[in-house]
mmCIF file with all atom_site columns, all heavy atoms in Angstrom:
data_model
loop_
_atom_site.group_PDB
_atom_site.id
_atom_site.type_symbol
_atom_site.label_atom_id
_atom_site.label_alt_id
_atom_site.label_comp_id
_atom_site.label_asym_id
_atom_site.label_entity_id
_atom_site.label_seq_id
_atom_site.pdbx_PDB_ins_code
_atom_site.Cartn_x
_atom_site.Cartn_y
_atom_site.Cartn_z
_atom_site.occupancy
_atom_site.B_iso_or_equiv
_atom_site.pdbx_formal_charge
_atom_site.auth_seq_id
_atom_site.auth_comp_id
_atom_site.auth_asym_id
_atom_site.auth_atom_id
_atom_site.pdbx_PDB_model_num
ATOM 1   N N   . VAL E 1 1  ? 38.604 26.310 7.916  1.00 94.00 ? 1  VAL E N   1
ATOM 2   C CA  . VAL E 1 1  ? 39.757 25.408 7.954  1.00 94.00 ? 1  VAL E CA  1
ATOM 3   C C   . VAL E 1 1  ? 39.943 24.808 9.341  1.00 94.00 ? 1  VAL E C   1
ATOM 4   O O   . VAL E 1 1  ? 40.109 23.588 9.490  1.00 94.00 ? 1  VAL E O   1
ATOM 5   C CB  . VAL E 1 1  ? 41.041 26.148 7.518  1.00 94.00 ? 1  VAL E CB  1
ATOM 6   C CG1 . VAL E 1 1  ? 42.248 25.223 7.611  1.00 94.00 ? 1  VAL E CG1 1
ATOM 7   C CG2 . VAL E 1 1  ? 40.908 26.674 6.107  1.00 94.00 ? 1  VAL E CG2 1
ATOM 8   N N   . THR E 1 2  ? 39.928 25.642 10.372 1.00 93.00 ? 2  THR E N   1
ATOM 9   C CA  . THR E 1 2  ? 40.189 25.135 11.729 1.00 93.00 ? 2  THR E CA  1
ATOM 10  C C   . THR E 1 2  ? 39.085 24.197 12.203 1.00 93.00 ? 2  THR E C   1
ATOM 11  O O   . THR E 1 2  ? 39.367 23.163 12.822 1.00 93.00 ? 2  THR E O   1
ATOM 12  C CB  . THR E 1 2  ? 40.334 26.301 12.717 1.00 93.00 ? 2  THR E CB  1
ATOM 13  O OG1 . THR E 1 2  ? 39.205 27.177 12.600 1.00 93.00 ? 2  THR E OG1 1
ATOM 14  C CG2 . THR E 1 2  ? 41.606 27.084 12.435 1.00 93.00 ? 2  THR E CG2 1
ATOM 15  N N   . ARG E 1 3  ? 37.840 24.538 11.928 1.00 92.00 ? 3  ARG E N   1
ATOM 16  C CA  . ARG E 1 3  ? 36.734 23.685 12.383 1.00 92.00 ? 3  ARG E CA  1
ATOM 17  C C   . ARG E 1 3  ? 36.639 22.398 11.570 1.00 92.00 ? 3  ARG E C   1
ATOM 18  O O   . ARG E 1 3  ? 36.144 21.380 12.071 1.00 92.00 ? 3  ARG E O   1
ATOM 19  C CB  . ARG E 1 3  ? 35.424 24.458 12.339 1.00 92.00 ? 3  ARG E CB  1
ATOM 20  C CG  . ARG E 1 3  ? 35.327 25.536 13.426 1.00 92.00 ? 3  ARG E CG  1
ATOM 21  C CD  . ARG E 1 3  ? 34.014 26.300 13.359 1.00 92.00 ? 3  ARG E CD  1
ATOM 22  N NE  . ARG E 1 3  ? 33.899 27.262 14.452 1.00 92.00 ? 3  ARG E NE  1
ATOM 23  C CZ  . ARG E 1 3  ? 33.395 26.991 15.647 1.00 92.00 ? 3  ARG E CZ  1
ATOM 24  N NH1 . ARG E 1 3  ? 32.963 25.759 15.915 1.00 92.00 ? 3  ARG E NH1 1
ATOM 25  N NH2 . ARG E 1 3  ? 33.318 27.916 16.578 1.00 92.00 ? 3  ARG E NH2 1
ATOM 26  N N   . THR E 1 4  ? 37.083 22.428 10.328 1.00 94.00 ? 4  THR E N   1
ATOM 27  C CA  . THR E 1 4  ? 37.055 21.218 9.505  1.00 94.00 ? 4  THR E CA  1
ATOM 28  C C   . THR E 1 4  ? 38.182 20.269 9.864  1.00 94.00 ? 4  THR E C   1
ATOM 29  O O   . THR E 1 4  ? 37.980 19.056 10.010 1.00 94.00 ? 4  THR E O   1
ATOM 30  C CB  . THR E 1 4  ? 37.145 21.580 8.007  1.00 94.00 ? 4  THR E CB  1
ATOM 31  O OG1 . THR E 1 4  ? 36.049 22.422 7.657  1.00 94.00 ? 4  THR E OG1 1
ATOM 32  C CG2 . THR E 1 4  ? 37.102 20.322 7.146  1.00 94.00 ? 4  THR E CG2 1
ATOM 33  N N   . LEU E 1 5  ? 39.381 20.786 10.026 1.00 93.00 ? 5  LEU E N   1
ATOM 34  C CA  . LEU E 1 5  ? 40.546 19.939 10.237 1.00 93.00 ? 5  LEU E CA  1
ATOM 35  C C   . LEU E 1 5  ? 40.796 19.600 11.697 1.00 93.00 ? 5  LEU E C   1
ATOM 36  O O   . LEU E 1 5  ? 41.376 18.549 12.000 1.00 93.00 ? 5  LEU E O   1
ATOM 37  C CB  . LEU E 1 5  ? 41.798 20.618 9.660  1.00 93.00 ? 5  LEU E CB  1
ATOM 38  C CG  . LEU E 1 5  ? 41.829 20.831 8.140  1.00 93.00 ? 5  LEU E CG  1
ATOM 39  C CD1 . LEU E 1 5  ? 43.123 21.536 7.727  1.00 93.00 ? 5  LEU E CD1 1
ATOM 40  C CD2 . LEU E 1 5  ? 41.689 19.504 7.402  1.00 93.00 ? 5  LEU E CD2 1
ATOM 41  N N   . GLY E 1 6  ? 40.401 20.474 12.640 1.00 91.00 ? 6  GLY E N   1
ATOM 42  C CA  . GLY E 1 6  ? 40.756 20.263 14.028 1.00 91.00 ? 6  GLY E CA  1
ATOM 43  C C   . GLY E 1 6  ? 42.180 20.732 14.286 1.00 91.00 ? 6  GLY E C   1
ATOM 44  O O   . GLY E 1 6  ? 42.941 21.002 13.360 1.00 91.00 ? 6  GLY E O   1
ATOM 45  N N   . ILE E 1 7  ? 42.549 20.802 15.549 1.00 88.00 ? 7  ILE E N   1
ATOM 46  C CA  . ILE E 1 7  ? 43.804 21.451 15.898 1.00 88.00 ? 7  ILE E CA  1
ATOM 47  C C   . ILE E 1 7  ? 45.029 20.678 15.398 1.00 88.00 ? 7  ILE E C   1
ATOM 48  O O   . ILE E 1 7  ? 46.019 21.265 14.958 1.00 88.00 ? 7  ILE E O   1
ATOM 49  C CB  . ILE E 1 7  ? 43.887 21.677 17.432 1.00 88.00 ? 7  ILE E CB  1
ATOM 50  C CG1 . ILE E 1 7  ? 45.047 22.634 17.746 1.00 88.00 ? 7  ILE E CG1 1
ATOM 51  C CG2 . ILE E 1 7  ? 44.008 20.369 18.182 1.00 88.00 ? 7  ILE E CG2 1
ATOM 52  C CD1 . ILE E 1 7  ? 45.012 23.137 19.179 1.00 88.00 ? 7  ILE E CD1 1
ATOM 53  N N   . ALA E 1 8  ? 44.984 19.339 15.398 1.00 88.00 ? 8  ALA E N   1
ATOM 54  C CA  . ALA E 1 8  ? 46.158 18.562 14.988 1.00 88.00 ? 8  ALA E CA  1
ATOM 55  C C   . ALA E 1 8  ? 46.372 18.649 13.481 1.00 88.00 ? 8  ALA E C   1
ATOM 56  O O   . ALA E 1 8  ? 47.485 18.932 13.012 1.00 88.00 ? 8  ALA E O   1
ATOM 57  C CB  . ALA E 1 8  ? 45.998 17.109 15.419 1.00 88.00 ? 8  ALA E CB  1
ATOM 58  N N   . ARG E 1 9  ? 45.319 18.399 12.699 1.00 93.00 ? 9  ARG E N   1
ATOM 59  C CA  . ARG E 1 9  ? 45.477 18.458 11.234 1.00 93.00 ? 9  ARG E CA  1
ATOM 60  C C   . ARG E 1 9  ? 45.655 19.895 10.755 1.00 93.00 ? 9  ARG E C   1
ATOM 61  O O   . ARG E 1 9  ? 46.326 20.141 9.742  1.00 93.00 ? 9  ARG E O   1
ATOM 62  C CB  . ARG E 1 9  ? 44.292 17.797 10.546 1.00 93.00 ? 9  ARG E CB  1
ATOM 63  C CG  . ARG E 1 9  ? 44.303 16.269 10.658 1.00 93.00 ? 9  ARG E CG  1
ATOM 64  C CD  . ARG E 1 9  ? 43.303 15.636 9.720  1.00 93.00 ? 9  ARG E CD  1
ATOM 65  N NE  . ARG E 1 9  ? 41.935 16.065 10.043 1.00 93.00 ? 9  ARG E NE  1
ATOM 66  C CZ  . ARG E 1 9  ? 40.899 15.920 9.228  1.00 93.00 ? 9  ARG E CZ  1
ATOM 67  N NH1 . ARG E 1 9  ? 41.076 15.386 8.018  1.00 93.00 ? 9  ARG E NH1 1
ATOM 68  N NH2 . ARG E 1 9  ? 39.703 16.317 9.593  1.00 93.00 ? 9  ARG E NH2 1
ATOM 69  N N   . PHE E 1 10 ? 45.050 20.856 11.472 1.00 92.00 ? 10 PHE E N   1
ATOM 70  C CA  . PHE E 1 10 ? 45.319 22.246 11.115 1.00 92.00 ? 10 PHE E CA  1
ATOM 71  C C   . PHE E 1 10 ? 46.790 22.577 11.363 1.00 92.00 ? 10 PHE E C   1
ATOM 72  O O   . PHE E 1 10 ? 47.395 23.352 10.613 1.00 92.00 ? 10 PHE E O   1
ATOM 73  C CB  . PHE E 1 10 ? 44.432 23.197 11.923 1.00 92.00 ? 10 PHE E CB  1
ATOM 74  C CG  . PHE E 1 10 ? 44.732 24.648 11.673 1.00 92.00 ? 10 PHE E CG  1
ATOM 75  C CD1 . PHE E 1 10 ? 44.347 25.265 10.490 1.00 92.00 ? 10 PHE E CD1 1
ATOM 76  C CD2 . PHE E 1 10 ? 45.417 25.402 12.618 1.00 92.00 ? 10 PHE E CD2 1
ATOM 77  C CE1 . PHE E 1 10 ? 44.643 26.600 10.248 1.00 92.00 ? 10 PHE E CE1 1
ATOM 78  C CE2 . PHE E 1 10 ? 45.711 26.738 12.390 1.00 92.00 ? 10 PHE E CE2 1
ATOM 79  C CZ  . PHE E 1 10 ? 45.314 27.331 11.205 1.00 92.00 ? 10 PHE E CZ  1
ATOM 80  N N   . GLY E 1 11 ? 47.362 21.994 12.416 1.00 91.00 ? 11 GLY E N   1
ATOM 81  C CA  . GLY E 1 11 ? 48.784 22.186 12.656 1.00 91.00 ? 11 GLY E CA  1
ATOM 82  C C   . GLY E 1 11 ? 49.617 21.651 11.515 1.00 91.00 ? 11 GLY E C   1
ATOM 83  O O   . GLY E 1 11 ? 50.611 22.277 11.097 1.00 91.00 ? 11 GLY E O   1
ATOM 84  N N   . GLU E 1 12 ? 49.223 20.510 10.958 1.00 93.00 ? 12 GLU E N   1
ATOM 85  C CA  . GLU E 1 12 ? 49.930 19.948 9.802  1.00 93.00 ? 12 GLU E CA  1
ATOM 86  C C   . GLU E 1 12 ? 49.826 20.899 8.605  1.00 93.00 ? 12 GLU E C   1
ATOM 87  O O   . GLU E 1 12 ? 50.817 21.172 7.918  1.00 93.00 ? 12 GLU E O   1
ATOM 88  C CB  . GLU E 1 12 ? 49.324 18.586 9.453  1.00 93.00 ? 12 GLU E CB  1
ATOM 89  C CG  . GLU E 1 12 ? 50.102 17.803 8.427  1.00 93.00 ? 12 GLU E CG  1
ATOM 90  C CD  . GLU E 1 12 ? 49.516 16.413 8.222  1.00 93.00 ? 12 GLU E CD  1
ATOM 91  O OE1 . GLU E 1 12 ? 48.477 16.103 8.837  1.00 93.00 ? 12 GLU E OE1 1
ATOM 92  O OE2 . GLU E 1 12 ? 50.092 15.650 7.432  1.00 93.00 ? 12 GLU E OE2 1
ATOM 93  N N   . PHE E 1 13 ? 48.638 21.406 8.367  1.00 95.00 ? 13 PHE E N   1
ATOM 94  C CA  . PHE E 1 13 ? 48.408 22.383 7.299  1.00 95.00 ? 13 PHE E CA  1
ATOM 95  C C   . PHE E 1 13 ? 49.243 23.644 7.527  1.00 95.00 ? 13 PHE E C   1
ATOM 96  O O   . PHE E 1 13 ? 49.865 24.186 6.602  1.00 95.00 ? 13 PHE E O   1
ATOM 97  C CB  . PHE E 1 13 ? 46.913 22.724 7.266  1.00 95.00 ? 13 PHE E CB  1
ATOM 98  C CG  . PHE E 1 13 ? 46.551 23.855 6.341  1.00 95.00 ? 13 PHE E CG  1
ATOM 99  C CD1 . PHE E 1 13 ? 46.533 23.679 4.967  1.00 95.00 ? 13 PHE E CD1 1
ATOM 100 C CD2 . PHE E 1 13 ? 46.205 25.095 6.847  1.00 95.00 ? 13 PHE E CD2 1
ATOM 101 C CE1 . PHE E 1 13 ? 46.186 24.721 4.113  1.00 95.00 ? 13 PHE E CE1 1
ATOM 102 C CE2 . PHE E 1 13 ? 45.862 26.141 6.008  1.00 95.00 ? 13 PHE E CE2 1
ATOM 103 C CZ  . PHE E 1 13 ? 45.855 25.952 4.639  1.00 95.00 ? 13 PHE E CZ  1
ATOM 104 N N   . THR E 1 14 ? 49.296 24.087 8.763  1.00 92.00 ? 14 THR E N   1
ATOM 105 C CA  . THR E 1 14 ? 50.070 25.272 9.129  1.00 92.00 ? 14 THR E CA  1
ATOM 106 C C   . THR E 1 14 ? 51.549 25.093 8.818  1.00 92.00 ? 14 THR E C   1
ATOM 107 O O   . THR E 1 14 ? 52.216 26.012 8.325  1.00 92.00 ? 14 THR E O   1
ATOM 108 C CB  . THR E 1 14 ? 49.885 25.546 10.631 1.00 92.00 ? 14 THR E CB  1
ATOM 109 O OG1 . THR E 1 14 ? 48.602 26.105 10.848 1.00 92.00 ? 14 THR E OG1 1
ATOM 110 C CG2 . THR E 1 14 ? 50.936 26.507 11.158 1.00 92.00 ? 14 THR E CG2 1
ATOM 111 N N   . LEU E 1 15 ? 52.089 23.922 9.098  1.00 93.00 ? 15 LEU E N   1
ATOM 112 C CA  . LEU E 1 15 ? 53.507 23.686 8.867  1.00 93.00 ? 15 LEU E CA  1
ATOM 113 C C   . LEU E 1 15 ? 53.838 23.683 7.372  1.00 93.00 ? 15 LEU E C   1
ATOM 114 O O   . LEU E 1 15 ? 54.918 24.120 6.974  1.00 93.00 ? 15 LEU E O   1
ATOM 115 C CB  . LEU E 1 15 ? 53.925 22.369 9.513  1.00 93.00 ? 15 LEU E CB  1
ATOM 116 C CG  . LEU E 1 15 ? 53.874 22.367 11.052 1.00 93.00 ? 15 LEU E CG  1
ATOM 117 C CD1 . LEU E 1 15 ? 54.124 20.971 11.606 1.00 93.00 ? 15 LEU E CD1 1
ATOM 118 C CD2 . LEU E 1 15 ? 54.885 23.356 11.617 1.00 93.00 ? 15 LEU E CD2 1
ATOM 119 N N   . VAL E 1 16 ? 52.916 23.203 6.548  1.00 94.00 ? 16 VAL E N   1
ATOM 120 C CA  . VAL E 1 16 ? 53.122 23.252 5.098  1.00 94.00 ? 16 VAL E CA  1
ATOM 121 C C   . VAL E 1 16 ? 53.167 24.699 4.630  1.00 94.00 ? 16 VAL E C   1
ATOM 122 O O   . VAL E 1 16 ? 54.083 25.121 3.901  1.00 94.00 ? 16 VAL E O   1
ATOM 123 C CB  . VAL E 1 16 ? 51.998 22.491 4.364  1.00 94.00 ? 16 VAL E CB  1
ATOM 124 C CG1 . VAL E 1 16 ? 52.081 22.745 2.855  1.00 94.00 ? 16 VAL E CG1 1
ATOM 125 C CG2 . VAL E 1 16 ? 52.086 20.999 4.648  1.00 94.00 ? 16 VAL E CG2 1
ATOM 126 N N   . ILE E 1 17 ? 52.174 25.486 5.048  1.00 93.00 ? 17 ILE E N   1
ATOM 127 C CA  . ILE E 1 17 ? 52.116 26.893 4.646  1.00 93.00 ? 17 ILE E CA  1
ATOM 128 C C   . ILE E 1 17 ? 53.321 27.641 5.198  1.00 93.00 ? 17 ILE E C   1
ATOM 129 O O   . ILE E 1 17 ? 53.937 28.475 4.522  1.00 93.00 ? 17 ILE E O   1
ATOM 130 C CB  . ILE E 1 17 ? 50.811 27.547 5.130  1.00 93.00 ? 17 ILE E CB  1
ATOM 131 C CG1 . ILE E 1 17 ? 49.587 26.763 4.624  1.00 93.00 ? 17 ILE E CG1 1
ATOM 132 C CG2 . ILE E 1 17 ? 50.738 28.995 4.658  1.00 93.00 ? 17 ILE E CG2 1
ATOM 133 C CD1 . ILE E 1 17 ? 49.490 26.667 3.131  1.00 93.00 ? 17 ILE E CD1 1
ATOM 134 N N   . GLY E 1 18 ? 53.685 27.362 6.447  1.00 90.00 ? 18 GLY E N   1
ATOM 135 C CA  . GLY E 1 18 ? 54.824 28.042 7.071  1.00 90.00 ? 18 GLY E CA  1
ATOM 136 C C   . GLY E 1 18 ? 56.133 27.753 6.368  1.00 90.00 ? 18 GLY E C   1
ATOM 137 O O   . GLY E 1 18 ? 56.999 28.634 6.257  1.00 90.00 ? 18 GLY E O   1
ATOM 138 N N   . THR E 1 19 ? 56.310 26.526 5.896  1.00 93.00 ? 19 THR E N   1
ATOM 139 C CA  . THR E 1 19 ? 57.530 26.189 5.152  1.00 93.00 ? 19 THR E CA  1
ATOM 140 C C   . THR E 1 19 ? 57.626 27.017 3.877  1.00 93.00 ? 19 THR E C   1
ATOM 141 O O   . THR E 1 19 ? 58.681 27.587 3.558  1.00 93.00 ? 19 THR E O   1
ATOM 142 C CB  . THR E 1 19 ? 57.538 24.687 4.802  1.00 93.00 ? 19 THR E CB  1
ATOM 143 O OG1 . THR E 1 19 ? 57.508 23.919 6.012  1.00 93.00 ? 19 THR E OG1 1
ATOM 144 C CG2 . THR E 1 19 ? 58.782 24.325 4.008  1.00 93.00 ? 19 THR E CG2 1
ATOM 145 N N   . ALA E 1 20 ? 56.524 27.104 3.143  1.00 92.00 ? 20 ALA E N   1
ATOM 146 C CA  . ALA E 1 20 ? 56.512 27.894 1.904  1.00 92.00 ? 20 ALA E CA  1
ATOM 147 C C   . ALA E 1 20 ? 56.760 29.367 2.186  1.00 92.00 ? 20 ALA E C   1
ATOM 148 O O   . ALA E 1 20 ? 57.507 30.041 1.468  1.00 92.00 ? 20 ALA E O   1
ATOM 149 C CB  . ALA E 1 20 ? 55.180 27.710 1.178  1.00 92.00 ? 20 ALA E CB  1
ATOM 150 N N   . GLN E 1 21 ? 56.148 29.894 3.237  1.00 87.00 ? 21 GLN E N   1
ATOM 151 C CA  . GLN E 1 21 ? 56.325 31.301 3.583  1.00 87.00 ? 21 GLN E CA  1
ATOM 152 C C   . GLN E 1 21 ? 57.766 31.605 3.984  1.00 87.00 ? 21 GLN E C   1
ATOM 153 O O   . GLN E 1 21 ? 58.309 32.668 3.662  1.00 87.00 ? 21 GLN E O   1
ATOM 154 C CB  . GLN E 1 21 ? 55.374 31.675 4.717  1.00 87.00 ? 21 GLN E CB  1
ATOM 155 C CG  . GLN E 1 21 ? 53.919 31.711 4.303  1.00 87.00 ? 21 GLN E CG  1
ATOM 156 C CD  . GLN E 1 21 ? 53.003 32.052 5.462  1.00 87.00 ? 21 GLN E CD  1
ATOM 157 O OE1 . GLN E 1 21 ? 53.417 32.009 6.618  1.00 87.00 ? 21 GLN E OE1 1
ATOM 158 N NE2 . GLN E 1 21 ? 51.772 32.387 5.159  1.00 87.00 ? 21 GLN E NE2 1
ATOM 159 N N   . THR E 1 22 ? 58.384 30.682 4.704  1.00 89.00 ? 22 THR E N   1
ATOM 160 C CA  . THR E 1 22 ? 59.766 30.888 5.127  1.00 89.00 ? 22 THR E CA  1
ATOM 161 C C   . THR E 1 22 ? 60.695 30.937 3.921  1.00 89.00 ? 22 THR E C   1
ATOM 162 O O   . THR E 1 22 ? 61.575 31.810 3.827  1.00 89.00 ? 22 THR E O   1
ATOM 163 C CB  . THR E 1 22 ? 60.202 29.767 6.082  1.00 89.00 ? 22 THR E CB  1
ATOM 164 O OG1 . THR E 1 22 ? 59.335 29.768 7.229  1.00 89.00 ? 22 THR E OG1 1
ATOM 165 C CG2 . THR E 1 22 ? 61.628 29.975 6.550  1.00 89.00 ? 22 THR E CG2 1
ATOM 166 N N   . ILE E 1 23 ? 60.508 30.018 2.983  1.00 91.00 ? 23 ILE E N   1
ATOM 167 C CA  . ILE E 1 23 ? 61.346 30.003 1.778  1.00 91.00 ? 23 ILE E CA  1
ATOM 168 C C   . ILE E 1 23 ? 61.117 31.264 0.954  1.00 91.00 ? 23 ILE E C   1
ATOM 169 O O   . ILE E 1 23 ? 62.071 31.910 0.485  1.00 91.00 ? 23 ILE E O   1
ATOM 170 C CB  . ILE E 1 23 ? 61.044 28.747 0.944  1.00 91.00 ? 23 ILE E CB  1
ATOM 171 C CG1 . ILE E 1 23 ? 61.487 27.495 1.704  1.00 91.00 ? 23 ILE E CG1 1
ATOM 172 C CG2 . ILE E 1 23 ? 61.736 28.821 -0.420 1.00 91.00 ? 23 ILE E CG2 1
ATOM 173 C CD1 . ILE E 1 23 ? 61.031 26.204 1.076  1.00 91.00 ? 23 ILE E CD1 1
ATOM 174 N N   . THR E 1 24 ? 59.860 31.646 0.772  1.00 89.00 ? 24 THR E N   1
ATOM 175 C CA  . THR E 1 24 ? 59.544 32.843 -0.012 1.00 89.00 ? 24 THR E CA  1
ATOM 176 C C   . THR E 1 24 ? 60.147 34.084 0.632  1.00 89.00 ? 24 THR E C   1
ATOM 177 O O   . THR E 1 24 ? 60.690 34.959 -0.046 1.00 89.00 ? 24 THR E O   1
ATOM 178 C CB  . THR E 1 24 ? 58.019 33.009 -0.148 1.00 89.00 ? 24 THR E CB  1
ATOM 179 O OG1 . THR E 1 24 ? 57.457 31.818 -0.684 1.00 89.00 ? 24 THR E OG1 1
ATOM 180 C CG2 . THR E 1 24 ? 57.674 34.169 -1.062 1.00 89.00 ? 24 THR E CG2 1
ATOM 181 N N   . GLY E 1 25 ? 60.053 34.182 1.951  1.00 84.00 ? 25 GLY E N   1
ATOM 182 C CA  . GLY E 1 25 ? 60.625 35.320 2.651  1.00 84.00 ? 25 GLY E CA  1
ATOM 183 C C   . GLY E 1 25 ? 62.141 35.345 2.586  1.00 84.00 ? 25 GLY E C   1
ATOM 184 O O   . GLY E 1 25 ? 62.751 36.416 2.543  1.00 84.00 ? 25 GLY E O   1
#
């Protein structure tokens, strides 16, 4: 994931996952 997306797009992916994790928690 990190090598495919790079740091900026991986950050975008991270924020999507983080939003879901925060709501679930």
Side-chain angles (χ1 to χ4, degrees):
V1 178
T2 52
R3 289 180 176 272
T4 301
L5 295 179
I7 193 168
R9 287 193 298 164
F10 176 74
E12 189 175 3
F13 172 74
T14 285
L15 293 172
V16 170
I17 304 300
T19 299
Q21 290 179 346
T22 301
I23 293 170
T24 306

